[in-house]
Amino acid sequence: MNAAEPVLPAALAALAEKQRVRLAEFMTATRFAPGALVFRENDPATRCWLLQTGSVVLTTVVPGHGTVSLETLHGGDILGWSWLGTNPRWQFTAHAVTATDATELDVVALQASAADDPAFTYAVTRALSGVLIARLHSTRARLLDLYAGHRQE
């Protein structure tokens, strides 16, 4: 990696040291200026980012409502899960809200490494999946709060 060692989410920090060193081979420090486009909905999803500082907003276009902000991510969050799907295309658009430092993970190269070291690739993907599951639980909790006052007839 080009810069100081990134702060890894707990799930990735729990990887064995040898796995963390190998993972660093797929990482590059990057910075997004305020307002910079990180990725656009429907483009190929080939990266993900470990956000170190700053904020990134996820948006989508909702017919009849225009562009809608869905979530804002901050330092410590992981941005870019669409590469895990069977059709690796971005599901949303992401823009930096503030100057954002991140560690970019080349997931195409990571996935290609599966042939050389499937145990490594499995450990990293499983760790990242754990973070994704936590994000889904958080989203579920927000939806429950949002709809708590609405009763269905």
Side-chain angles (χ1 to χ4, degrees), residues 23-105:
L23 182 61
E25 296 173 16
F26 301 97
M27 296 176 148
T28 305
T30 190
R31 173 173 272 195
F32 301 107
L37 175 69
V38 180
F39 56 79
R40 187 179 315 282
E41 190 169 348
N42 293 319
D43 283 352
T46 59
R47 304 276 190 268
C48 81
W49 296 266
L50 311 177
L51 301 181
Q52 305 296 315
T53 64
S55 299
V56 174
V57 65
L58 297 174
T59 63
T60 192
V61 175
V62 176
H65 297 281
T67 300
V68 176
S69 295
L70 301 171
E71 186 171 13
T72 301
L73 303 174
H74 306 281
D77 288 329
I78 297 179
L79 169 66
W81 294 104
S82 297
W83 66 274
L84 283 168
T86 55
N87 181 19
R89 302 191 83 68
W90 297 120
Q91 301 303 303
F92 309 111
T93 295
H95 285 92
V97 176
T98 62
T100 301
D101 292 312
T103 303
E104 184 176 283
L105 178 59

